């Protein structure tokens, strides 16, 4: 369902992170984000492309220091319940069962030919993180840096800080401009860098 801001929202209405993407997944009739098999159904309908997307989201939402522990049991548990609004996730391993904290997330689809004023950086809500994924989404919101495709003035571009040594991610307040959620662009090292920023930086900074 499209809102007045010409976006499609998938997941809880209030979340710690909003991921902005250019293309919506196919959802089955009657699908609800809080269903136990919601993510499994989404992956089944949309294939490996969306499996990668929700996997990267889950890793970013992981608050555990070592996301590779127990063969990734924590992020896998988060992925299976990615769009739930629970702040804690039950993680089962071969030796234990425990509830661990996590960041909650929402997916917001930005449709073509629109630049919703409420979604521009100065108007992003400051009580959650906004991760704008990939050039296509950024272009739709007027947040492109590349000279040939720039939609920002020089004054606007100086407000953004690069947070990694490869200049892949830029930050302004609680908004991050990142690569698209694909391992060819968003490596595990970059995922870890993003995750650490979200954990260590207070949301009011």
């Amino acid at each position: 369902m499209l809102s007045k801001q010409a976006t499609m929202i998938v997941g809880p209405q209030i979340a710690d992170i909003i991921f902005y993407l250019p293309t919506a997944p196919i959802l089955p009739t009657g699908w609800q984000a809080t269903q136990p098999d919601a993510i499994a159904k989404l992956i089944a309908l949309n294939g490996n492309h969306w499996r990668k997307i929700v996997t990267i989201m889950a890793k970013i939402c992981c608050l555990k220091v070592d996301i590779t522990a127990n063969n990734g049991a924590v992020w896998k548990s988060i992925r299976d319940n990615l769009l739930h609004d629970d702040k804690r996730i039950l993680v089962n391993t071969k030796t234990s069962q425990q509830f661990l904290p996590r960041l909650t997330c929402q997916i917001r689809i930005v449709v073509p030919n629109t630049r919703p004023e409420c979604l521009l950086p100065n108007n992003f809500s400051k009580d959650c993180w906004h991760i704008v994924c990939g050039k296509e989404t950024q272009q739709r919101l007027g947040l492109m840096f590349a000279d040939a495709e720039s939609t920002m003035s020089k004054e606007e571009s100086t407000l953004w800080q690069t947070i990694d040594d490869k200049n892949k991610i830029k930050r302004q307040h609680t908004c991050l401009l990142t690569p698209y959620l694909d391992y060819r662009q968003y490596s595990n090292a970059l995922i870890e860098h993003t995750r650490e920023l979200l954990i260590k930086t207070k949301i009011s900074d």
Side-chain angles (χ1 to χ4, degrees):
M1 180 175 65
L2 297 181
S3 70
K4 293 180 180 179
Q5 291 79 34
T7 61
M8 173 184 177
I9 295 174
V10 182
Q13 291 297 310
I14 299 175
D16 298 312
I17 305 170
I18 300 175
F19 291 96
Y20 296 83
L21 292 169
T23 307
I26 300 169
L27 299 176
T29 302
W31 185 91
Q32 297 290 330
T34 54
Q35 292 170 336
D37 59 350
I39 297 301
K41 286 181 176 178
L42 186 152
I43 293 172
L45 270 178
N46 295 273
N48 194 50
H49 174 66
W50 268 89
R51 182 186 63 80
K52 292 176 182 178
I53 289 174
V54 296
T55 294
I56 292 173
M57 288 180 178
K59 289 181 177 182
I60 291 173
C61 289
C62 184
L63 287 174
K64 189 175 177 63
V65 175
D66 182 6
I67 63 173
T68 65
N70 296 304
N71 294 316
V74 177
W75 67 257
K76 289 176 182 176
S77 295
I78 293 174
R79 184 184 63 187
D80 292 344
N81 302 277
L82 183 67
L83 300 173
H84 291 206
D85 58 5
D86 297 326
K87 295 280 190 178
R88 288 158 59 84
I89 190 75
L90 179 62
V91 178
N92 293 299
T93 69
K94 292 181 179 180
T95 58
S96 69
Q97 183 181 72
Q98 58 183 321
F99 282 94
L100 294 174
R102 57 158 290 187
L103 296 173
T104 58
C105 74
Q106 174 195 107
I107 300 171
R108 191 168 295 191
I109 307 301
V110 180
V111 301
N113 303 316
T114 184
R115 185 180 176 182
E117 292 302 320
C118 69
L119 297 182
L120 298 180
N122 288 339
N123 296 317
F124 277 125
S125 64
K126 301 298 189 293
D127 55 356
C128 69
W129 287 98
H130 303 264
I131 300 182
V132 185
C133 308
K135 289 184 178 180
E136 188 173 353
T137 312
Q138 293 159 16
Q139 187 173 41
R140 291 178 185 181
L141 293 177
L143 300 174
M144 286 294 293
F145 281 87
D147 292 340
E149 304 172 282
S150 179
T151 55
M152 285 191 203
S153 67
K154 289 184 178 180
E155 290 76 14
E156 287 177 316
S157 64
T158 60
L159 299 175
W160 295 85
Q161 297 177 324
T162 299
I163 68 167
D164 65 295
D165 56 6
K166 293 186 178 180
N167 200 32
K168 295 283 188 178
I169 299 178
K170 293 182 173 61
R171 176 193 177 194
Q172 182 183 160
H173 303 302
T174 57
C175 179
L176 299 180
L177 305 184
T178 74
Y180 190 71
L181 302 186
D182 182 280
Y183 286 119
R184 291 171 295 181
Q185 302 178 54
Y186 217 132
S187 66
N188 276 324
L190 203 58
I191 290 170
E192 185 66 14
H193 198 90
T194 305
R195 194 180 67 84
E196 289 181 355
L197 173 71
L198 270 57
I199 293 170
K200 294 177 181 178
T201 307
K202 292 181 179 179
I203 204 73
S204 59
D205 283 356

